Amino acid sequence: MKIVQQEKEKHYEILGTLKPTDICWIHSVLYMVISAPDEYDNVRVIKLGTGELDYFNDRTSVELADCFLVVNV
């Protein structure tokens, strides 16, 4: 039996092209997009795990995350 390992290719996008609820890595931190770009070309995101809000330029290069979010209310 031959074991073959294949690493997943990283997929990068521009933050401004993502829609709310998309999840991505920005500077090695996991964020969820919560609003589209505003009049100043900033996108509001929330840091998953801590709930901190942050703003990034819509031209920021991000790595899409392969995950899903489960909310229990």
Side-chain angles (χ1 to χ4, degrees):
M1 174 185 285
K2 182 177 181 182
I3 298 175
V4 177
Q5 178 182 353
Q6 179 180 358
E7 290 190 26
K8 189 165 188 166
E9 215 173 282
K10 293 184 179 188
H11 185 70
Y12 292 96
E13 288 287 332
I14 301 300
L15 184 58
T17 64
L18 302 182
K19 63 185 185 323
T21 71
D22 283 345
I23 298 175
C24 61
W25 293 98
I26 305 173
H27 307 301
S28 301
V29 178
L30 195 59
Y31 287 94
M32 181 174 70
V33 177
I34 57 174
S35 72
D38 61 15
E39 63 273 6
Y40 303 107
D41 295 331
N42 291 320
V43 176
R44 189 165 40 162
V45 295
I46 187 168
K47 188 184 297 185
L48 297 179
T50 65
E52 296 174 51
L53 293 177
D54 210 342
Y55 290 90
F56 289 98
N57 186 282
D58 67 344
R59 290 181 222 98
T60 304
S61 180
V62 300
E63 179 186 347
L64 294 179
D66 290 327
C67 62
F68 58 91
L69 180 66
V70 176
V71 178
N72 188 9
V73 289

